[in-house]
Structure formats: C-alpha cells, structure tokens
Amino acid sequence: ASWPTEIYQKRTSDANSRPTMTANVTQPIANFIINNTRMNLPSIVIKPTGDQSTFKSAEAYEALLRHIQYRSQAPAIYIDSHQHQVWGGVGYFRMNSRWDEENPPNDASAFDQSLFFDPVQSHMGVLLDTNIKQKSGSDARWGIIFEDVDRDAFKRDYPNVEAPVHNALDASDDWVREKTLRIAEYYRIASDPDELIYIEDTDEATGETKTSTFRMSEAPDTMTKALKEAEKNGAVVRRRKVWNKRLQWFKIAGNKIIDRNLKLPGRGNFIPIIRVLGREII
C-alpha cells in the first residue's frame, strides 16, 4: 500500500516529520506471475491449414522461426515485454531486419538480410494505432517507436544530416536536449484501391473452360475493353474491390525526416510491432 498524497505531504513536512514506510504488497504477486512465464516461455507454433500447406512445410517454417528466435535471444525479449505487461498493463517488442554481416563479402550475398526480434528502449515510448480492434494490434495501420540517442552517436550514424538544435513543438518539448536527441521510427500501411478480376471462359471449339484471376493494376491498358467483349460473349466475369498495401517506414529526428523506405518487403499487411496486453477494460 502507498500513502495518499495529502497525508504523505503532511507527514513529511518540515513542521511534522513522521515516518512514512511503504510496503510494496504487489511486487511478490507480480513476481509470481512473471516467474511462471520464465519457467514456461511462449513459443511460436505453425499450423498447416491452407489447401496447399503440408505438415512438412509447417515444420520447416517452425525451424526457421526457432533460428530467428535463437539469433535474437528472444526469451529475454519476451520476458522484458511480459514484465511491462504485468507492471504497466501493456508491453511491446518489434520485428526488424538487419544485414547479415558487418564486413560483407564482395558478392551478391552482401545484400542479404535476416529477420530479428528486437526489444524496445521504452514501452511507454511506443504508440500504436488507436483504432485497432484486435487485442494483439495486428490490424494496426500505423505505429511509432521513440528512442533517445546520444548526439555523438547520431553524428556518427548520420554525418550528412544536421542535428536539430531546437525543439520541434515548443519550449516544453523534450525532443532536443543538450546531450541527446529523440528519434522516432514511424511505420504506416499505405493503401491504393484496385480491382480483383476473376474470368471464366469456355472455348466453343474444344469445350475447355479456362479460368484466370488477376488485378487490374497488373493488366495491360487494353484489358478493360477485352473484359467487356468477353462478358458480351458469355464469359463469367466477377469483380471485387481490393487494396494494394505497402508497408512504409520513416525515421524522424526533431522536425526532419532523415531516412525513409516507401516499399518494405512483404505484402504490407502488418505493422512490425507486437503488442503484449495485460487486462484491458473499456
């Protein structure tokens, strides 16, 4: 239990200095929960559920993920996020990609990257899309990770970027300090409207039915007219609206974007920030 603020101030005032011992009764309970997780660490399991998936392919993906977790020292990252889940209500960790070698060879493998799980510097320094419906945050459209870096380290990593000397917002803002700068990594999912086309056509001469599925953005300009002709000739054409997603990344220092990648690898469905939620009541 802790003292109410008003009573604590009265007991610690110069006129009335009295003991204010505090017994932290929640720490043993929290440690009990955290230690249970230490003994039973979570693991990633792949289940083959698609039409073309197999048990062997699921095993191969699990082996790949075990390798990623081993290289990332994932148990320590899981525990770190779980501790903040217990103490603060929510914790985070992230997925990142890095070059495979510090001193790469002079061949094509020099451009290989590998996936890693990474911790966050501060769990309070993570912002995730406030419109999410999934508890894991897997439906987030944007996310921000803040980190304070040493000015000398900033100059070493970005020698051609002038470090900001003033705060971006106002005097009370602490993005720019004497010895540190705040860096923000901003992820967002950009979406462009598209149309998914399914066409089923039967060759009158052979009676063979051919099907094809494609996106209009990938089709030649003449395809719109060809589809109309096919429909007139009895072909089955189905259409639905879809979105072409791209995961984008920006690095911001002060009021400047100092680096960006507008097309990260993958299908762009997820923000690479994993949310570990405690008890949430709305």
Side-chain angles (χ1 to χ4, degrees):
S2 59
W3 294 89
T5 303
E6 185 179 348
I7 297 175
Y8 178 83
Q9 291 175 347
K10 287 181 179 180
R11 292 179 67 91
T12 56
S13 65
D14 294 335
N16 186 22
S17 181
R18 303 176 65 185
T20 53
M21 294 179 63
T22 301
N24 190 344
V25 297
T26 59
Q27 184 166 346
I29 300 170
N31 286 342
F32 176 78
I33 299 170
I34 295 168
N35 288 336
N36 273 338
T37 301
R38 289 181 185 274
M39 292 185 291
N40 301 281
L41 286 172
S43 60
I44 302 174
V45 178
I46 304 295
K47 298 291 186 182
T49 57
D51 293 338
Q52 298 180 357
S53 60
T54 63
F55 180 73
K56 286 187 177 181
S57 65
E59 282 188 323
Y61 277 113
E62 275 196 14
L64 178 61
L65 284 167
R66 282 196 299 270
H67 180 65
I68 293 173
Q69 292 177 95
Y70 172 76
R71 294 185 65 181
S72 306
Q73 299 181 351
I77 296 172
Y78 296 158
I79 291 298
D80 175 60
S81 61
H82 180 57
Q83 285 182 151
H84 212 275
Q85 176 191 24
V86 174
W87 283 108
V90 62
Y92 299 92
F93 61 99
R94 63 186 300 189
M95 177 159 272
N96 215 341
S97 62
R98 296 201 288 272
W99 302 112
D100 281 350
E101 297 187 37
E102 291 291 335
N103 297 308
N106 295 326
D107 55 38
S109 64
F111 293 91
D112 292 343
Q113 293 193 35
S114 294
L115 293 174
F116 286 85
F117 291 116
D118 280 335
V120 296
Q121 185 187 67
S122 168
H123 297 271
M124 299 297 290
V126 179
L127 297 178
L128 204 59
D129 188 349
T130 53
N131 292 318
I132 56 176
K133 302 294 187 297
Q134 301 297 325
K135 298 297 184 182
S136 64
S138 59
D139 55 338
R141 301 298 301 270
W142 58 266
I144 306 175
I145 301 175
F146 297 98
E147 182 178 358
D148 290 337
V149 300
D150 184 78
R151 278 184 173 271
D152 292 335
F154 179 85
K155 291 178 181 177
R156 183 185 67 243
D157 294 338
Y158 296 94
N160 298 323
V161 178
E162 183 180 352
V165 294
H166 299 293
N167 285 310
L169 301 178
D170 52 46
S172 63
D173 181 26
D174 58 354
W175 276 63
V176 178
R177 298 183 181 181
E178 182 180 354
K179 295 184 178 180
T180 62
L181 292 172
R182 181 160 302 160
I183 302 297
E185 290 185 67
Y186 171 48
Y187 290 94
R188 73 179 181 190
I189 295 176
S191 300
D192 298 319
D194 203 348
E195 194 173 26
L196 186 67
I197 305 295
Y198 169 84
I199 182 169
E200 182 180 303
D201 196 8
T202 303
D203 191 324
E204 295 181 357
T206 62
E208 181 182 0
T209 300
K210 296 181 179 180
T211 62
S212 178
T213 305
F214 57 91
R215 294 181 181 234
M216 282 301 295
S217 61
E218 301 169 350
D221 296 337
T222 57
M223 183 57 70
T224 301
K225 184 177 180 180
L227 279 173
K228 290 181 180 180
E229 290 294 328
E231 284 182 295
K232 288 180 181 179
N233 295 330
V236 177
V237 178
R238 299 174 62 186
R239 307 168 184 264
R240 56 171 285 205
K241 186 176 181 179
V242 294
W243 297 89
N244 296 325
K245 298 179 180 180
R246 305 184 311 281
L247 178 62
Q248 299 180 335
W249 170 85
F250 303 84
K251 180 170 277 192
I252 304 165
N255 58 354
K256 298 179 181 179
I257 297 176
I258 60 175
D259 202 357
R260 70 184 75 200
N261 189 332
L262 300 182
K263 185 66 174 68
L264 288 173
R267 298 176 62 186
N269 288 332
F270 304 106
I271 300 295
I273 301 172
I274 296 89
R275 184 176 186 241
V276 185
L277 186 67
R279 188 177 183 183
E280 182 182 49
I281 299 176
I282 299 177

